[in-house]
Amino acid sequence: MLERLQNSRNALGLLFLLPAAVLLLLFLTYPLGLGIWLGFTDAKIGRPGEWIGLENYSFIAQDAVTQLALFNTLFYTVVASIFKFLLGLWLAVLLNKNIRFKTFFRAVILLPYIVPTALSAIAFWWIYDAQFSIISWVLMKMGLIHQYIDFLGVPWNARISVIVANIWRGVPFVAITLLAGLQTISPSYYEASAIDGATPWQQFRHVTLPLLTPIIAVVMTFSVLFTFTDFQLIYVITRGGPLNATHLMATLSFQRAISGGALGEGAAISIAMVPFLLAAIMFSYFGLQRRAWQQGGADK
Amino acid sequence: MSQFNRRKFLEGSASVAAATTLGTGASVFAPAAQAQTIAFKPEKGAKLRVLRWSRFVQGDIDQYMKNVAAFTAKTGIEVRVDNEGWEDVRPKAAVAANTGAGPDIILSTNDDANLYPDKLLDVTDLAEYLGKKYGGWYPAVHAYLKPDGKKWIGLGLGSAGSMMVYRQSQLKAAGFDAFPKTTDDFLKMAQALHAKGTPIGLALGNATGDGLWCNWLIWAFGGKLVDANNKVVIDSPETLKALEYGKQLYATFIPGTLSWLDPNNNKAFLDGQISATNNGISIYYAAKNSTDPKVKEMAADIQHASFPVGPVGQPTESHLFFNQMVMKYTKYPQAAKEFLRFMMEWEQFDPWLTGAGGYVAAPLAAYEKSSIWTSDPKNLPYRDAVKNLRPAGYAGKLGYASAGAGADFIVVNMVAEAISGSKTPKEAMERAQKRAERYYKV
């Protein structure tokens, strides 16, 4: 029996998969399942909850702060992701060229990504300070403004300010990943297209971009997921203020669940993020990664 | 609130009166009181982990750690102290309470203990011992930490007083010889200072400590989050009056206060950009101990005062309360209680109060006699912060709902929305009412 098991590809396959499966169940499935369960209860910090059905969801659907947090999250994600993509792609193309000190610049570009998020958030907090902002100080000295800019005290200023911080932090990830993708494109495509008389723009449009699409799909999926679930930048820079104008779903969920003790409601806010995240993944998977040409066919 | 009533006040006042008769310093304790003792026998091999809020004044942590070292030297119990910003102590404490693992003792803020009273060790014996020995706990401490009127779920550590800190010369230049005592005069002063180009500024961001002035504003006009039966009544004509007043006050603020967190007003004040704000004594402490001659010079011009009294005709002070919780899951409950006893005894606590330079007002009446309050007259306004403290859950019973509502910044956000003009006062009140009802449904 044991010998048969040892020689069974299926049994051994299952056996070898078991540790990974246990880890997945323990650290991914269980917390997610617990979160879903908590969302249907009135659990508080330190006390188990009772089943209340959809009450949490019904409340957050009507809650003005949650609605604002959802709007903020979508706005933050869309704007930051677009800018991160454009800047990241631009940097990747630049770094892929034979420029001087290429290695140095490639290392420099990673700096924002290797600084701990909390530290970069504190730096931005100072940069945006209502009274001590270096940006305002410089603009004042240059005579371009007459009073300090209230970066974090005005809702739209605050939204844009945290988006800028997120872009600064997220661009390296996009740039370096796309650079890796660019380096997998064979130079022969460019040589062939050059012989055919293609301009640099045509080369980019018809060679680079199509061949980069799979990696763009992956990197943008991750970028959107990271941005949608961002927490640290907001928590350090604004704590969701002013007037909840920068509260994201993640920060609001934390505030309600942990600081406020309303575990059930906080979990419901977290779970409410899942459909949006799934939509982002589906878009990437079906819209970009499974394009027919990747299987040797033609796009329809 | 049912637990913070006239009876409690009289009990507290009687204790305070008793303490006053006992004398000062080493002689604060009558022989009978001195004879009191309590013994906690630490468990063999005990080790303790303490999580506390990071210092705002250096002398606080320096003396605290000296006391910790003295405890270790005396008992052989190793104590590890972790410091976190008080914004971060709350979530860590909540997670520890929920998971049943983490520090043995947590020094946290406001009514955190009421979020998870069942997870905290009963320290009634220790609290009663300290109360008897040191002239009694102030009424607010009873309200915060003896919510059922019988069992102590933690010990008071004190309070960082939220007083008005101002530049005397700038008030004088604006035509005020003394800090106003009424809200009407306070508004006139703020307007005059604004006209002089030396505005005031009060934090309106999600600040744990400095946002508490919003409670004062609402209470000063008779508004309150809940009534004595824990019914949410924030949407009221009294709150409306407070918000209308707040709008006029906000018009005089320096720009940027909507985003201010706890450190912002310290920075703006010490940089000379504002003439008055609400704060603990840390601004004065920093000025006094600064190595920058300009900032040090400012210390002479800094004064402190209580918040003005509003139409309700009585002080409505809201201060940042500190508590000490022993988590029920600790393996060393006796050692933990012995640690807290040691730290609260006069020999340790008084040097700590002094080291903190008046940043913390004590929760026990006998510590009114500490020399820290008389060594510098500017410290004195902070002395009675706990004595005059009105708990944040006023006028209801403290508990999960009051703690949650406070942590969710319901009052602060309502005030910020209304006075900045982002919402009409009526809209802001309705939103706050709805949100608070959610917590108080429990």
Side-chain angles (χ1 to χ4, degrees):
Chain A
M1 175 75 177
L2 188 63
E3 197 175 333
R4 267 177 57 198
L5 274 177
Q6 282 173 339
N7 291 324
S8 160
R9 280 170 62 91
N10 290 341
L12 284 176
L14 279 175
L15 188 68
F16 292 146
L17 274 175
L18 199 60
V22 168
L23 284 176
L24 283 174
L25 281 172
L26 209 60
F27 295 113
L28 290 176
T29 315
Y30 172 71
L32 183 63
L34 183 63
I36 292 170
W37 163 254
L38 284 173
F40 291 116
T41 71
D42 61 356
K44 311 280 184 266
I45 290 282
R47 68 187 84 171
E50 287 183 12
W51 177 267
I52 55 167
L54 290 171
E55 195 192 308
N56 284 326
Y57 292 96
S58 138
F59 176 79
I60 61 171
Q62 297 165 40
D63 177 33
V65 178
T66 313
Q67 289 165 2
L68 181 61
L70 178 60
F71 165 76
N72 293 337
T73 310
L74 292 171
F75 182 76
Y76 184 78
T77 306
V78 170
V79 177
S81 299
I82 289 172
F83 275 95
K84 278 189 277 192
F85 171 67
L86 293 176
L87 286 171
L89 184 60
W90 177 59
L91 281 173
V93 171
L94 278 183
L95 292 173
N96 197 38
K97 292 181 190 293
N98 279 322
I99 53 171
R100 293 177 72 188
F101 307 115
K102 190 164 68 176
T103 319
F104 172 74
F105 285 120
R106 281 181 185 176
V108 165
I109 203 78
L110 268 177
L111 276 178
Y113 203 61
I114 57 174
V115 175
T117 313
L119 283 186
S120 47
I122 288 171
F124 271 100
W125 186 44
W126 274 91
I127 288 169
Y128 294 143
D129 190 282
Q131 273 76 43
F132 300 95
S133 165
I134 182 75
I135 299 173
S136 294
W137 184 82
V138 168
L139 294 176
M140 283 276 276
K141 289 284 173 197
M142 291 168 73
L144 294 174
I145 56 171
H146 300 294
Q147 66 176 47
Y148 272 38
I149 301 165
D150 193 0
F151 286 105
L152 300 177
V154 177
W156 276 103
N157 285 2
R159 284 189 188 106
I160 292 164
S161 300
V162 293
I163 285 173
V164 169
N166 181 277
I167 292 169
W168 179 85
R169 176 140 185 91
V171 160
F173 169 72
V174 178
I176 293 295
T177 317
L178 292 185
L179 177 62
L182 284 174
Q183 296 197 327
T184 63
I185 300 174
S186 166
S188 60
Y189 291 118
Y190 294 102
E191 288 159 10
S193 60
I195 291 166
D196 287 344
T199 62
W201 169 249
Q202 284 171 325
Q203 285 184 329
F204 175 76
R205 171 72 186 81
H206 298 289
V207 178
T208 309
L209 215 49
L211 291 171
L212 207 55
T213 304
I215 197 87
I216 289 174
V218 173
V219 78
M220 286 316 292
T221 304
F222 278 99
S223 178
V224 166
L225 297 187
F226 293 155
T227 314
F228 198 90
T229 54
D230 195 10
F231 174 85
Q232 290 182 70
L233 275 176
I234 303 295
Y235 189 71
V236 174
I237 299 177
T238 65
R239 288 191 196 277
L243 311 170
N244 298 315
T246 59
H247 249 315
L248 303 184
M249 296 290 272
T251 53
L252 185 66
S253 163
F254 178 82
Q255 181 171 303
R256 296 260 167 99
I258 307 298
S259 307
L263 274 181
E265 191 179 314
I269 294 172
S270 282
I271 298 302
M273 295 163 74
V274 172
F276 295 95
L277 297 172
L278 279 177
I281 294 169
M282 295 295 176
F283 174 75
S284 155
Y285 187 72
F286 290 109
L288 296 166
Q289 276 194 291
R290 290 178 65 86
R291 287 168 64 144
W293 60 265
Q294 289 181 44
Q295 278 83 47
D299 286 343
K300 288 173 186 169
Chain B
M1 83 189 55
S2 57
Q3 302 306 321
F4 184 62
N5 52 23
R6 197 173 67 90
R7 189 173 167 186
K8 288 283 170 291
F9 178 77
L10 290 174
E11 281 176 16
S13 305
S15 304
V16 174
T20 311
T21 62
L22 292 179
T24 61
S27 62
V28 284
F29 323 113
Q34 280 181 310
Q36 292 178 68
T37 186
I38 192 164
F40 297 105
K41 197 177 170 197
E43 295 80 1
K44 207 173 172 188
K47 283 182 183 175
L48 293 173
R49 265 184 68 198
V50 178
L51 172 64
R52 56 154 286 170
W53 37 269
S54 294
R55 89 288 181 280
F56 256 61
V57 294
Q58 188 59 39
D60 151 26
I61 194 67
D62 291 347
Q63 187 58 43
Y64 191 86
M65 293 313 293
K66 273 186 198 167
N67 289 348
V68 168
F71 175 76
T72 301
K74 188 179 169 196
T75 62
I77 297 170
E78 191 185 314
V79 182
R80 176 181 138 187
V81 179
D82 297 322
N83 297 272
E84 296 277 357
W86 56 45
E87 307 285 1
D88 298 323
V89 170
R90 170 172 290 160
K92 287 205 169 181
V95 170
N98 215 43
T99 57
D104 303 278
I105 296 168
I106 299 179
L107 275 50
S108 69
T109 51
N110 292 328
D111 48 359
D112 283 5
N114 291 286
L115 274 173
Y116 30 76
D118 302 340
K119 306 291 176 182
L120 304 177
L121 192 72
D122 180 350
V123 290
T124 304
D125 46 2
L126 175 57
E128 287 182 350
Y129 158 75
L130 290 167
K132 278 180 192 156
K133 188 167 179 183
Y134 294 108
W137 300 95
Y138 290 121
V141 189
H142 284 257
Y144 272 114
L145 293 167
K146 199 164 65 160
D148 65 358
K150 296 171 194 160
K151 189 177 88 174
W152 287 84
I153 56 175
L155 297 182
L157 180 67
S159 196
S162 175
M163 296 290 165
M164 289 304 302
V165 185
Y166 63 95
R167 297 279 298 272
Q168 186 150 22
S169 61
Q170 291 176 340
L171 253 68
K172 209 170 172 66
F176 290 79
D177 287 331
F179 197 83
K181 301 260 184 239
T182 67
T183 43
D184 285 345
D185 288 343
F186 181 55
L187 179 59
K188 283 179 199 155
M189 180 205 75
Q191 288 165 337
L193 286 167
H194 183 252
K196 282 269 176 194
T198 53
I200 70 167
L202 307 174
L204 281 161
N206 288 353
T208 299
D210 293 332
L212 290 173
W213 74 272
C214 296
N215 286 333
W216 159 80
L217 174 69
I218 302 302
W219 296 337
F221 287 81
K224 50 198 164 195
L225 189 64
V226 291
D227 65 14
N229 298 315
N230 269 8
K231 186 178 171 227
V232 180
V233 291
I234 190 70
D235 185 0
S236 70
E238 290 81 12
T239 308
L240 185 63
K241 275 185 202 156
L243 296 178
E244 297 289 3
Y245 172 87
K247 279 181 84 164
Q248 298 179 68
L249 199 60
Y250 179 75
T252 71
F253 284 9
I254 192 172
T257 52
L258 276 179
S259 65
W260 275 12
L261 300 176
D262 282 310
N264 287 83
N265 58 357
N266 296 51
K267 290 189 290 173
F269 191 101
L270 289 169
D271 194 49
Q273 299 187 24
I274 51 173
S275 56
T277 189
N278 68 308
N279 207 62
I281 208 167
S282 52
I283 288 178
Y284 179 55
Y285 183 95
K288 262 199 315 190
N289 297 296
S290 175
T291 48
D292 180 342
K294 266 190 180 173
V295 177
K296 206 173 175 74
E297 203 175 294
M298 189 190 285
D301 193 30
I302 294 176
Q303 292 290 348
H304 303 122
S306 299
F307 268 87
V309 173
V312 290
Q314 55 178 292
T316 52
E317 295 178 24
S318 184
H319 306 290
L320 183 65
F321 184 72
F322 298 132
N323 47 57
Q324 308 174 93
M325 309 178 292
V326 181
M327 309 308 286
K328 208 181 244 179
Y329 57 70
T330 179
K331 283 191 237 168
Y332 311 111
Q334 295 300 308
K337 286 207 267 188
E338 178 59 15
F339 174 76
L340 291 185
R341 184 197 67 75
F342 180 83
M343 298 294 274
M344 292 300 292
E345 298 280 9
W346 181 275
E347 293 75 17
Q348 285 69 241
F349 199 77
D350 183 49
W352 178 63
L353 284 182
T354 306
Y359 184 69
V360 180
L364 288 155
Y367 289 104
E368 282 179 23
K369 304 297 174 189
S370 172
S371 60
I372 186 61
W373 310 122
T374 47
S375 57
D376 182 342
K378 289 184 184 179
N379 296 347
L380 190 61
Y382 286 92
R383 183 190 66 186
D384 298 331
V386 187
K387 190 178 182 178
N388 299 331
L389 167 65
R390 183 183 270 191
Y394 178 82
K397 184 181 184 300
L398 292 187
Y400 157 75
S402 66
D408 212 2
F409 300 104
I410 291 175
V411 171
V412 176
N413 281 327
M414 175 191 71
V415 170
E417 284 173 350
I419 73 177
S420 69
S422 152
K423 295 273 181 294
T424 65
K426 185 68 188 154
E427 284 169 344
M429 288 192 305
E430 284 168 359
R431 282 155 66 92
Q433 175 87 16
K434 206 170 162 190
R435 182 78 205 127
E437 279 171 353
R438 178 93 176 142
Y439 280 104
Y440 279 89
K441 205 173 73 173
V442 175

